Amino acid sequence: MKKTNNRSAAAGVILQGVSGAQGFAIGKASMYERSSLSVTVDRIEDDRRKQQLAKYRNAYSQVEKELQQMMDRQNDKNAEAVIGTQIAILRDPELDNSIERHILDKNQPADLAVQSAFDTFLSVMSGGGVSHEKGVVDITDVRDRLIQFLHGFDEDGITDGTILVAHELSPREVITCSEHDIKGIVMDRGGVDGHAAIVARSIGLPMILGTREATAKINKGDELVLDGQTGQVLMNIDAQSQDRYRELMKQREERLRDYLEICQKPNKTSDGLPFSLRANIEFEAELQTVKKYCAEGIGLLRTESIYLRRDFDDIDKQKSFYSTILKQTSPNPVTIRLFDAGGDKITGYESNDPNPFLGNRGIRWLLNKKELLMQQLRAICEVAANYHGLVRILIPMVSTLEEFKEVRNLLQQTQQELENEGISIDDNISLGIMVEVLNVALQADLFCTEADFLSIGTNDLTQYLLAVDRGNEQLSHLYDQRHPMVWRLIKNVVESAQEADKPLNVCGELASDPVSACGLMGLGITELSMNPAALPPVKKMLRQRSLSEMKQLATDLQHCQTISEVDNVYGEWKEK
């Protein structure tokens, strides 16, 4: 459904968001809003139950066919993988059975049964947390699509060649929109690690997220400029300013061509210090970009998608996933993070948690689900036997030494069981911890006595340090990973790791920013892991600067007291 505001946007108005996909776009705005869905609330008579079940089955088949055709049309593997996740949600046997039971046992009409079953599922999976995270958006979209087909209407048309403005889009909607040759997307909500943003980055579609008020401030037909570097949306700017952005678009195209050449060069600073750049990924499809930009392995392999697809009960599927990643990245290492459930992640096993970010999440959740944890450890160990020395296991959300020791004991128990069964193992698997809780960052020296390596997750570390929910768009101005205290905490971890001679890396978003990467190198961290698309610009800047320059940058950041001072330091660094 298209939406038009009654007021006109003033010339030169700027909306600030975050960049979900890099790039620039210039064009007229078109407004997109999902059709309002209402369901039948009246119960049906017994003799209508089979008819409503058949109606649901028909809608199910139509949605399945649509998603399968959409996946088959994709040339991009990331988009294909994300749509595959939606197909897996649709085919989830528990959901399907729940819908059938709502129709047959509770006499609900098909549309109400779909809404009831999905809403119960969403309530459980969100764990009381943020409702717009990537898995929840996917599930909601499948639910809404089923109801749309049950009601016999489709989404309204999308205007070709425009910049689409929406409250929020699912990955399926992003792909549908891209097939209308739109130039870019602006959204009120959404996160940079959401599936919609992943698809946009994969297909090269500029996207600005988290503006909060784009749909309220922008009208159909407004001239927009999307700045994927600053996360800004400019409205109705003058012709001279538009020309300047067209020149920036041209420069970016030239820069992208240069990236491939940069990535072929050695990972060394201007004065010869070697460094390692690795990739954070979740899907096999992302390996294309990993290879293109010459990442030295995987610094963070997220495994949550395994659980969203409900593949956790099938060890063979888990082994196949890990094997594919290792085979295509060998002889480089792969760090596999254990399933990170709770908080802003989703699970199908959790009752509502009144405070999910401080509740049953990460390793706490896994230790309460030992069968799932043991299944994952077994799958990893069996695959690691074929890739000696290349597999590292990372424990999420560790807050006590006891948690680490318990996981280590379970890993050793798993390895012993495999040996007893005559299955070979790699007894050199490194076991590390995510540094994302203040207790761990402040007592890094203690944790270094037990862990084989440390990996700093700056996303959650910043959240807990500043007491700011990183998913809360109303507080986004307070959430900044470059905060002076974040730098001081990182320095404390670096000193502890160096004294204990333990490997240390950063896998949070801070490593994806070129200037921040230089600051991390200046502190002594020579292994960084990031979104694959961030590898070329980070490598370019690291190669241009010397270690002495980076050490001075790190010192300057340590002396900052406010974000404004950090901004000044960053600005001066870029001007050098």
Side-chain angles (χ1 to χ4, degrees), residues 46 53 84 86 98 119 129 133 186 226 229 265 271 284 310 367 370 393 399 443 460 472 486 514 540 553 570:
D46 289 351
L53 181 60
Q86 287 203 317
S98 177
D119 287 356
E133 291 297 329
V186 182
L226 269 59
Q229 291 184 334
K265 296 180 179 180
D271 54 347
E284 298 173 19
R310 298 299 184 94
L367 289 174
K370 281 196 175 68
I393 297 176
S399 57
Q443 296 190 93
D460 274 326
N472 189 328
V486 173
K540 181 178 181 179
L553 172 63
Y570 272 58

Side-chain angles (χ1 to χ4, degrees), residues 147-431:
I147 294 174
Q148 284 179 336
F149 275 106
L150 283 168
H151 288 179
F153 61 81
D154 206 342
E155 296 161 322
D156 288 346
I158 299 163
T159 306
D160 291 3
T162 60
I163 293 176
L164 200 71
V165 182
H167 182 61
E168 186 173 41
L169 295 176
S170 70
R172 178 191 61 80
E173 288 170 316
V174 171
I175 292 173
T176 298
C177 293
S178 71
E179 293 173 347
H180 288 266
D181 195 32
I182 61 171
K183 297 180 178 180
I185 293 174
V186 182
M187 287 164 43
D188 292 337
R189 303 181 68 179
V192 295
D193 61 345
H195 286 166
I198 290 173
V199 170
R201 287 193 292 268
S202 297
I203 62 181
L205 185 63
M207 174 183 281
I208 305 296
L209 308 164
T211 64
R212 291 189 289 174
E213 54 184 2
T215 55
K217 291 290 184 67
I218 299 174
N219 292 296
K220 178 182 178 181
D222 281 343
E223 289 284 347
L224 302 182
V225 173
L226 269 59
D227 187 335
Q229 291 184 334
T230 64
Q232 291 181 332
V233 181
L234 297 85
M235 293 184 280
N236 301 320
I237 61 176
D238 57 49
Q240 184 177 359
S241 297
Q242 287 195 29
D243 289 341
R244 180 169 62 86
Y245 274 96
R246 288 190 177 91
E247 179 60 28
L248 289 174
M249 292 170 70
K250 181 179 177 181
Q251 292 174 7
R252 183 174 186 274
E253 290 174 1
E254 294 172 352
R255 188 165 60 250
L256 289 175
R257 288 193 290 269
D258 292 341
Y259 279 168
L260 292 178
E261 181 180 346
I262 291 169
C263 290
Q264 298 297 325
K265 296 180 179 180
N267 283 356
K268 290 184 178 181
T269 61
S270 64
D271 54 347
L273 176 71
F275 56 84
S276 294
L277 297 183
R278 297 187 172 128
N280 300 341
I281 67 170
E282 184 172 2
F283 300 106
E284 298 173 19
E286 293 176 276
L287 291 171
Q288 285 183 322
T289 309
V290 170
K291 290 180 179 179
K292 181 170 70 172
Y293 291 146
C294 303
E296 294 182 325
I298 307 301
L300 176 64
L301 177 61
R302 303 181 183 94
T303 59
E304 288 74 51
S305 62
I306 292 173
Y307 291 79
L308 182 61
R309 295 194 303 264
R310 298 299 184 94
D311 286 345
F312 49 82
D313 287 328
D314 191 330
I315 288 182
D316 288 337
K317 285 187 177 180
Q318 282 201 56
K319 288 165 55 180
S320 175
F321 175 65
Y322 303 140
S323 295
T324 298
I325 303 297
L326 282 153
K327 181 179 181 180
Q328 295 196 41
T329 56
S330 181
N332 293 311
V334 172
T335 301
I336 302 173
R337 184 178 70 185
L338 298 176
F339 180 47
D340 190 7
D344 60 344
K345 313 299 192 306
I346 57 177
T347 86
Y349 288 86
E350 196 61 67
S351 59
N352 284 348
D353 194 330
N355 196 340
F357 285 105
L358 298 178
N360 196 22
R361 63 167 300 193
I363 193 56
R364 300 170 186 171
W365 185 88
L366 276 176
L367 289 174
N368 285 328
K369 306 291 180 183
K370 281 196 175 68
E371 183 179 352
L372 292 179
L373 175 56
M374 295 294 283
Q375 286 176 336
Q376 187 172 27
L377 290 174
R378 183 182 179 96
I380 293 171
C381 288
E382 288 193 42
V383 171
N386 299 319
Y387 298 91
H388 277 260
L390 298 185
V391 174
R392 304 194 299 184
I393 297 176
L394 186 60
I395 311 174
M397 286 304 299
V398 172
S399 57
T400 69
L401 205 56
E402 288 80 5
E403 290 169 337
F404 176 84
K405 289 181 177 180
E406 186 169 359
V407 175
R408 184 178 60 189
N409 289 339
L410 291 173
L411 174 61
Q412 292 172 345
Q413 177 184 329
T414 300
Q415 292 175 316
Q416 186 61 57
E417 289 174 356
L418 289 171
E419 284 191 307
N420 292 343
E421 295 172 21
I423 299 174
S424 62
I425 64 166
D426 177 8
D427 54 10
N428 291 316
I429 297 177
S430 296
L431 185 64

